[in-house]
Amino acid sequence: MRIRLLQALALLATGLLAGAFGYGAANLVPTFNAVPLDMRLSFHAELMKMNGITMQAAMAVSALSSLTLATLTRGRARLIAGTAGLLTLASFLITRLGNVPINGRIKEWALTSAPADHAEILRRWELFNNLRTLTALAAFVLLIILALRRPSAPSSV
């Protein structure tokens, strides 16, 4: 029962993470690109204030629950849960090392002005965003596969 609850938590947290990143990639980024730059920068800076806590919490719960699930299971289930946890950890690292530094620059630009090479920097942010979305989605798919697997029959002695 404990494993099933942990599996449900991992699935929920990772689904929320993949959904949030997916919504951003499918809806927010195209909207960012459709509005004037000053509007994008202001909205992006404000959005990052809101996302900071919720997205970090989703990434932490997703990674910790998946990796804990991996430690409590065996065989293929361990491999699937561990890979999902590592993919979520990759989403965190991509965010922390790729998106967050650019978000800091965007905050500055919103208050001042964007540099001449802003388009390239924003493209890099979108690349990191796509990568973290794909890693979160892959983790979610793996946890769905794990949840749909038939439980192993107890071994007979």
Side-chain angles (χ1 to χ4, degrees), residues 2-78:
R2 179 178 63 176
I3 298 279
R4 299 284 291 160
L5 289 173
L6 187 57
Q7 189 175 20
L9 178 63
L11 192 59
L12 175 64
T14 307
L16 289 171
L17 182 65
F21 282 151
Y23 177 82
N27 295 298
L28 289 177
V29 171
T31 303
F32 283 162
N33 292 329
V35 299
L37 181 62
D38 62 330
M39 184 181 291
R40 176 198 176 141
L41 298 176
S42 296
F43 183 74
H44 192 120
E46 286 302 314
L47 183 63
M48 293 312 108
K49 288 180 192 174
M50 302 303 291
N51 280 354
I53 293 171
T54 57
M55 295 306 290
Q56 287 183 35
M59 285 186 270
V61 172
S62 177
L64 291 175
S65 59
S66 295
L67 293 171
T68 302
L69 186 61
T71 63
L72 298 176
T73 56
R74 295 182 193 185
R76 190 174 299 269
R78 174 175 279 173

Side-chain angles (χ1 to χ4, degrees), residues 91-156:
S91 292
F92 170 76
L93 291 173
I94 292 165
T95 300
R96 194 76 190 120
L97 302 174
N99 295 92
V100 169
I102 296 172
N103 288 343
R105 293 173 79 178
I106 290 172
K107 282 184 201 175
E108 291 174 19
W109 302 345
L111 299 174
T112 58
S113 64
D117 65 341
H118 73 275
E120 177 55 35
I121 296 168
L122 293 175
R123 270 194 293 283
R124 200 166 0 125
W125 184 94
E126 289 176 21
L127 172 66
F128 290 132
N129 189 58
N130 290 337
L131 289 172
R132 69 184 180 175
T133 300
L134 290 173
T135 56
L137 182 60
F140 184 48
V141 168
L142 286 175
L143 290 171
I144 290 170
I145 290 168
L146 186 60
L148 294 176
R149 287 186 54 196
R150 289 202 168 103
S152 319
S155 57
S156 4

